Amino acid sequence: MVVILFLVAAQILIQACTGNQQAKSDKNQIDALIASLTLEEKIGMIVGDGKFLPAVDLTAEKNADVFIANRNSKLLIPRLSIRSTALTDGPAGINKSPAPEGDTEYAYTTAFPTSTCLAATWNTGLVENVGRAFGNEVLEYDYDLILMPALNLHRNPKCGRNFEYYSEDPLLSGKLSASMVNGLQSNGIGATLKHFLANNQETNRRKYNAVVSQRALRELYLRGFEIAVRESHPKAIMTAYNKLNGFYTPEIPELLQDIVREEWGFKGLYMTDFDMYYGDAVAQVRAGINMIMGGSRDEYNELKTALKNKTLDENTLDENLVYNMKLKLSSPSMKAYIPSLKPDLEAHAKIAREAAAEGMVLLKNENSALPLNKDQTLAVFGKTSYDLIAFGTGSGSVRSHKYRVSVNDGLKSAGFNVLTDMEKDYTEYIEKLKRENIVPPYFDTPKHRKDNDIKGNQSPPHFKTRLVAFSKEQGVPIKKISKYESESDAALITLGRSGGENYENGYLPITQVEFNLVRDVCDVYHSAGKKVIVVLNVGGVWETASWRDSPDAILMAWQPGQEGGHAVVDILTGAVNPSGKLPDSFPLKYETVPSAGSFPGEPAENPTNTFYKEGIYVGYRYYDSFDVPTAYEFGYGMSYTSFDYSDLELSSNSFSSKMQVTVTVTNSGEVAGKEIVQLYLAAPQTEIEKPVQELKGFAKTELLQPGDSQQLSFELDERSLASFWSGISAWKADRGDYEVRIAASSKDIRLKASFNLPNDIIVEEVHNVLYPNFVMEEMSRFSK
Ligand code: BGC
């Protein structure tokens, strides 16, 4: 036996050395590897990925190079050369510990634009390119797996983690996540879709029970993940903390096995979200979890006892471990890849800047306020103008970034004059806030982490304090504004907010101080015939209705990553023509959000159940179907040029299996620009109600010179026509007339054409699972 084990180990070692990836991933090899593990090793690999196995000190390895001494992965089972999987957060850049103050040699990582900003590009190629650069850092800094992209649906604009997620629409979220994963994984490292599933709020984030109908799950919450799994084959999926219809998500085999593995063909690894100590480790393993993260001694012991009592079978462990082994054998560290520790950060900064500029959305531009002429002197108001919020907090932040370009610095480096006394005033104000410790850090300190982990209930009080700090703007008296006005040609105001794990930071109303600042600056500058521009440096949907009439221009800059200030100025000057469009609807007021009445759940003080009563009516699906006005609609965004749409053609006026749609877009304005074209489909209303229209395709033109045209193509398949019928648990396309709407936004429909589906089609029958554990009446347009 010993001889056999030795031979197996030697064989694996030889393969690792020759780098024969094909043979490594061969099932027989994996089975042999698993068969040679002890029971303790098997449990140890599942709980915390070897955290409780005696790791070997790599510095003691023979012939260890300096880089090997730095390896993030640990050698867990030396006789088989099995290492832990080196993993790291998070969605906008590798999020590792910050550099010590003053350090210049530290391995810095790029802070790319956050996901909502990337979503606003609607540009799959650009997002893939960001993924390629990002994944290169993952590889070259010696990691195997990155814990992103996060793609939970923006159910409600308050959700604190929306900045980490993409959109209110599953097609946009799914397609862009797939592009991100394809870019990342082109480096040989792995990506992790998270947080699966229905993780749409931060209040009681670890324990709330999301009660969601089967139809809303299939059409909205599962759909983005389905697209990403099918189109990019991520190496991992992280389950969510919360419960779904009565069970914690990592404990639901119907979700993990029936839907994702069987229906979608997922071949990767499942891990839990971190430190779910309150979960049931045995139920998780039985449901198919491959790595319980971060993993506790209790969980280890629970599995051990269950194996002893025979309530858990060793075969189940073996079956799960196949996925761990597959991941490991395909990982750079197990293939002995030698990372450079020197990715091209300058090149990546350029990509971050380009992506940030392309995601910015011009919401308003009256009186030709923009683009700005660089010969001007600008008065730059708002503390955020001097202290860019590049990303949110928590695991979604990028602690190891080297710099953040502020809007003020971006303006100066582009050649604008700014008012130096004003700069001094704001800089001192920020310093004062820092001294008082109320400028929030860009990362969790150990104290935050500790608090974060204890109960996972309501947001701890200090998080609320930090929230206030982000909006703690200083008031500027009219007299001072008038003085600044006399010294400048125009005014710019940046308003900022951040947030992240553990609290709902989104859609916080503008404060009175901010409101007064916008109002007073606009009054003073407008009476002198000068313009005012507002830049929004926020993570997601924001309240605009109460003040948007005052300024001449409004630019949504999101949380745009480390190059944010440069990117803002690229747009302000017209060096880049804005081409971003909103991935979310901006409501007129919070009360009109379809989930406002049921967010964040019941009972309000400490919600245990969150009823997704709006059902399929999330975002524009609601506003458009119920005719509820918005401040800015889904898909909206302005340009410095204009586009004509023409020649809409359908491949047939009768649908059979597929339909090709083409349209021509012409730049009819004076400057070069890109246009995002959206395809909405209005399906026939039959026995089940449907939103009046749904996004079924989108495309972005190249940079079109004035007068230039481009033909864009879309393909509709049977699934594009289908709705989910829970009663028969199937995707069904109803016979009847369908209208194709080619649009510049969900409300700006430019061209229409119709086709007919002669017969009903049952597109796909699926597992009849995930039935809600409460009776719940969902929103309907045809309510009794
Ligand atoms: C977050 C995950 C993150 C993990 C590891 C959790 O609290 O929800 O998104 O990847 O921590 O940092």
Side-chain angles (χ1 to χ4, degrees):
M1 181 67 180
V2 174
V3 175
I4 294 172
L5 284 182
F6 175 78
L7 288 178
V8 170
Q11 195 186 355
I12 287 160
L13 211 57
I14 290 163
Q15 279 164 2
C17 295
T18 54
N20 186 341
Q21 188 182 353
Q22 215 42 52
K24 272 186 194 172
S25 55
D26 180 80
K27 187 165 179 316
N28 294 337
Q29 302 285 335
I30 290 176
D31 289 348
L33 202 49
I34 294 169
S36 59
L37 295 175
T38 66
L39 194 60
E40 280 69 26
E41 285 166 346
K42 289 179 186 178
I43 304 172
M45 283 187 64
I46 287 182
V47 180
D49 189 29
K51 187 170 173 177
F52 300 106
L53 297 175
V56 167
D57 177 8
L58 291 166
T59 50
E61 260 189 354
K62 266 196 195 155
N63 304 324
D65 286 323
V66 180
F67 86 89
I68 290 190
N70 288 333
R71 284 215 88 110
N72 294 312
S73 60
K74 305 251 179 329
L75 196 48
L76 301 173
I77 307 172
R79 70 176 192 290
L80 300 175
S81 288
I82 291 179
R83 291 176 179 276
S84 64
T85 302
L87 42 82
T88 180
D89 277 313
I94 295 176
N95 180 19
K96 55 196 196 93
S97 356
E101 197 79 41
D103 194 316
T104 50
E105 293 301 308
Y106 182 83
Y108 291 94
T109 62
T110 305
F112 294 97
T114 52
S115 307
T116 311
C117 180
L118 290 181
T121 68
W122 297 61
N123 186 337
T124 50
L126 174 142
V127 173
E128 188 166 334
N129 205 25
V130 169
R132 259 194 295 274
F134 189 161
N136 174 261
E137 288 186 29
V138 177
L139 178 72
E140 297 304 347
Y141 283 139
D142 203 14
Y143 292 103
D144 299 316
L145 190 71
I146 178 87
L147 302 178
M148 54 79 71
L151 63 148
N152 293 96
L153 207 74
H154 291 172
R155 173 181 179 239
N156 185 293
K158 282 193 179 179
C159 172
R161 295 190 85 171
N162 276 354
F163 79 95
E164 296 185 54
Y165 308 149
Y166 289 81
S167 166
E168 69 185 23
D169 181 81
L171 182 77
L172 190 58
S173 306
K175 290 278 179 191
L176 294 181
S177 300
S179 302
M180 176 59 85
V181 172
N182 284 325
L184 288 160
Q185 294 196 160
S186 68
N187 292 280
I189 56 98
T192 312
L193 302 185
K194 70 183 187 183
H195 310 89
F196 192 64
L197 185 70
N199 187 244
N200 308 102
Q201 67 186 59
E202 287 303 295
T203 311
N204 200 10
R205 72 176 187 140
R206 285 166 185 263
K207 295 198 174 171
Y208 74 90
N209 176 34
V211 185
V212 198
S213 71
Q214 289 173 304
R215 182 173 177 197
L217 282 173
R218 291 283 183 173
E219 292 190 7
L220 299 182
Y221 299 96
L222 284 164
R223 185 75 183 120
F225 284 94
E226 177 179 8
I227 293 168
V229 167
R230 287 188 195 267
E231 297 185 9
S232 66
H233 312 291
K235 284 195 183 180
I237 292 178
M238 183 193 287
T239 53
Y241 287 130
N242 52 281
K243 289 181 187 164
L244 170 64
N245 291 338
F247 299 96
Y248 285 114
T249 59
E251 298 171 17
I252 311 179
E254 294 82 358
L255 177 65
L256 308 188
Q257 303 302 327
D258 298 355
I259 295 182
V260 185
R261 289 215 190 276
E262 277 188 39
E263 293 175 16
W264 304 349
F266 176 60
K267 303 268 188 304
L269 163 143
Y270 281 116
M271 72 174 79
T272 62
D273 201 346
F274 283 55
D275 306 333
M276 265 188 83
Y277 305 135
Y278 51 89
D280 177 339
V282 179
Q284 291 172 359
V285 170
R286 289 168 68 130
I289 289 292
N290 311 103
M291 272 169 31
I292 297 178
M293 299 304 284
S296 67
R297 186 59 79 181
D298 284 351
E299 286 161 332
Y300 182 97
N301 291 337
E302 275 168 37
L303 294 186
K304 210 167 169 185
T305 310
L307 285 156
K308 190 161 161 257
N309 296 342
K310 304 294 171 205
T311 49
L312 181 65
D313 193 79
E314 192 173 342
N315 278 330
T316 309
L317 288 194
D318 292 352
E319 281 163 22
N320 289 15
L321 280 168
V322 169
Y323 298 96
N324 304 49
M325 291 305 176
K326 257 176 62 184
L327 177 73
K328 288 193 186 302
L329 294 183
S330 73
S331 290
S333 64
M334 287 273 298
K335 289 187 189 167
Y337 177 77
I338 301 185
S340 68
L341 303 178
K342 288 199 176 11
D344 188 346
L345 295 180
E346 269 181 43
H348 296 176
K350 284 198 189 109
I351 293 171
R353 177 172 177 168
E354 184 203 339
E358 188 150 335
M360 291 184 186
V361 183
L362 185 61
L363 295 177
K364 176 177 181 183
N365 189 18
E366 280 180 2
N367 315 315
S368 312
L370 295 176
L372 288 174
N373 183 336
K374 286 187 196 170
D375 308 330
Q376 309 192 53
T377 300
L378 289 184
V380 185
F381 292 89
K383 76 171 171 55
T384 315
S385 296
Y386 302 85
D387 189 20
L388 179 84
I389 301 171
F391 36 76
T393 61
S395 59
S397 65
V398 189
R399 296 176 294 170
S400 32
H401 68 286
K402 188 167 195 172
Y403 61 86
R404 288 175 283 124
V405 180
S406 70
V407 174
N408 188 59
D409 286 342
L411 287 167
K412 288 199 295 189
S413 73
F416 284 92
N417 291 319
V418 297
L419 301 182
T420 44
D421 51 343
M422 198 171 178
E423 188 177 31
K424 187 163 167 281
D425 192 41
Y426 273 108
T427 311
E428 279 170 12
Y429 178 64
I430 291 165
E431 286 311 313
K432 177 172 159 280
L433 292 180
K434 278 187 186 154
R435 274 197 306 280
E436 290 168 6
N437 199 20
I438 50 175
V439 167
Y442 283 87
F443 49 87
D444 286 340
T445 63
K447 177 174 183 313
H448 293 138
R449 278 231 175 273
K450 199 159 155 268
D451 290 351
N452 192 350
D453 282 345
I454 37 169
K455 285 186 250 73
N457 274 337
Q458 291 285 65
S459 310
H462 66 267
F463 283 114
K464 298 208 168 110
T465 317
R466 291 163 71 204
L467 266 186
V468 174
F470 276 111
S471 57
K472 204 168 166 61
E473 189 54 83
Q474 66 175 344
V476 187
I478 300 260
K479 227 171 116 192
K480 210 163 172 187
I481 297 176
S482 302
K483 176 183 164 291
Y484 291 144
E485 180 278 307
S486 67
E487 297 164 353
S488 59
D489 301 304
L492 183 146
I493 309 170
T494 308
L495 302 175
R497 285 291 188 289
S498 192
E501 283 171 88
N502 278 292
Y503 53 91
E504 319 294 8
N505 70 299
Y507 205 79
L508 286 184
I510 189 168
T511 64
Q512 194 60 47
V513 176
E514 289 168 330
F515 182 86
N516 294 351
L517 182 70
V518 174
R519 182 197 59 202
D520 295 346
V521 171
C522 290
D523 283 353
V524 171
Y525 276 74
H526 287 165
S527 25
K530 296 177 183 172
K531 314 260 166 62
V532 180
I533 296 118
V534 172
V535 174
L536 293 177
N537 181 193
V538 298
V541 173
W542 222 54
E543 189 278 312
T544 53
S546 69
W547 56 271
R548 65 180 170 149
D549 289 343
S550 307
D552 303 274
I554 306 174
L555 179 67
M556 170 53 93
W558 312 104
Q559 290 169 346
Q562 66 186 33
E563 288 285 326
H566 284 144
V568 165
V569 177
D570 287 340
I571 298 287
L572 296 182
T573 58
V576 175
N577 189 349
S579 68
K581 292 192 178 181
L582 295 178
D584 291 300
S585 311
F586 277 40
L588 273 174
K589 49 184 181 185
Y590 178 69
E591 291 67 33
T592 67
V593 172
S595 55
S598 56
F599 184 91
E602 300 171 17
E605 325 74 68
N606 187 19
T608 48
N609 291 304
T610 305
F611 298 96
Y612 287 39
K613 291 183 191 160
E614 71 288 347
I616 55 169
Y617 291 115
V618 172
Y620 70 88
R621 285 173 167 75
Y622 167 76
Y623 297 108
D624 293 347
S625 305
F626 288 76
D627 233 349
V628 175
T630 50
Y632 300 105
E633 73 271 14
F634 176 79
Y636 170 83
M638 298 175 77
S639 165
Y640 296 145
T641 189
S642 53
F643 296 96
D644 284 347
Y645 291 45
S646 62
D647 304 322
L648 169 60
E649 278 181 31
L650 308 187
S651 54
S652 164
N653 53 15
S654 174
F655 186 93
S656 82
S657 80
K658 283 206 171 24
M659 169 81 59
Q660 311 300 327
V661 178
T662 52
V663 65
T664 301
V665 177
T666 306
N667 182 345
S668 51
E670 318 253 292
V671 289
K674 297 182 187 176
E675 173 70 333
I676 294 162
V677 177
Q678 299 151 47
L679 187 159
Y680 295 89
L681 193 64
Q685 298 292 331
T686 57
E687 291 149 279
I688 63 166
E689 70 181 276
K690 299 168 190 168
V692 293
Q693 59 178 14
E694 290 182 281
L695 185 77
K696 296 296 177 181
F698 61 91
K700 192 162 192 172
T701 66
E702 305 292 318
L703 185 73
L704 293 179
Q705 297 301 324
D708 278 2
S709 300
Q710 187 182 344
Q711 191 184 59
L712 298 175
S713 320
F714 306 84
E715 185 177 90
L716 298 174
D717 58 10
E718 291 179 345
R719 243 335 242 286
S720 319
L721 275 59
S723 302
F724 187 73
W725 290 58
S726 313
I728 54 169
S729 196
W731 291 93
K732 179 172 172 245
D734 291 319
R735 67 176 176 275
D737 292 333
Y738 288 74
E739 188 173 79
V740 173
R741 301 174 177 175
I742 297 295
S745 81
S746 53
K747 291 219 186 320
D748 186 2
I749 314 287
R750 300 290 181 87
L751 299 167
K752 291 178 183 176
S754 295
F755 64 84
N756 180 267
L757 176 67
N759 298 303
D760 290 349
I761 310 175
I762 299 288
V763 179
E764 192 183 349
E765 283 172 299
V766 294
H767 292 92
N768 191 352
V769 291
L770 306 183
Y771 197 75
N773 63 327
F774 282 92
V775 177
M776 174 179 59
E777 195 172 331
E778 285 182 299
M779 188 179 272
S780 162
R781 274 186 291 148
F782 309 106
S783 287
K784 323 85 212 174

